[in-house]
Amino acid sequence: MRAAGSLILTVSVRTLFQTILAFSLYLLFAGHNTAGGGFAGGLVAGAALVLRLVEGGPRSLRDAVPAPPGALLGTGIAVAGLTGAAGWLGGGYLESGKLALELPLLGTVKAASSLGFDVGVYLVVVGLVATILRTLGEEDLDEGRHGGGEAAP
């Protein structure tokens, strides 16, 4: 799964990885006003993780996502669920709310409760993609340990 010794691939992926993650965060935060959101942003971040796996193998993927994927999945589900449940304070489940904060360097920052839900969805998608990719990477490591395509005893 790794292109051995490809300096061009390594440098390109390491440079693109940061840019792709920044774009995925843009999609996440712009999603409640324009196209994007947690799902689209999570898929773009997942594509960046695929690049890391192809470039450097399972170890590079673990460097990119040091947290256990199951923790990302659980946190995402909890954030999305709690954001929806917060609507019960003022009405029904998933009822939208708005928040405006005055931050020293940024000025007034407005956020809707849908942003919290989108963050949860983003974490679920990234956690799921990381789980799948780690599983695929572990299969590659198992094949290397057992000598190619042979079955493990």
Side-chain angles (χ1 to χ4, degrees):
M1 184 155 274
R2 181 182 173 155
S6 177
L7 181 62
I8 294 172
L9 179 64
T10 300
V11 171
S12 298
V13 167
R14 298 294 168 111
T15 303
L16 283 174
F17 181 74
Q18 306 299 328
T19 306
I20 293 170
L21 282 184
F23 180 63
S24 78
L25 290 175
Y26 167 77
L27 288 175
L28 169 65
F29 289 113
H32 62 279
N33 291 327
T34 60
F39 188 74
L43 288 179
V44 170
L49 295 178
V50 170
L51 284 176
R52 285 293 294 263
L53 180 65
V54 169
E55 175 268 325
R59 286 179 185 83
S60 180
L61 180 64
R62 288 188 191 277
D63 290 343
V65 185
L72 292 175
L73 282 165
T75 303
I77 290 170
V79 168
L82 290 173
T83 301
W88 281 330
L89 298 174
Y93 189 77
L94 281 178
E95 188 165 317
S96 184
K98 294 181 183 176
L99 177 67
L101 297 172
E102 189 68 37
L103 300 177
L105 296 175
L106 300 175
T108 303
V109 175
K110 297 177 185 176
S113 61
S114 61
L115 178 62
F117 185 79
D118 277 342
V119 167
V121 171
Y122 181 91
L123 290 173
V124 167
V125 173
V126 170
L128 183 61
V129 170
T131 300
I132 292 168
L133 293 177
R134 281 191 179 183
T135 302
L136 291 173
E138 292 299 321
E139 287 178 8
D140 285 348
L141 288 177
D142 288 342
E143 286 179 11
R145 285 187 208 123
H146 301 295
E150 298 175 14

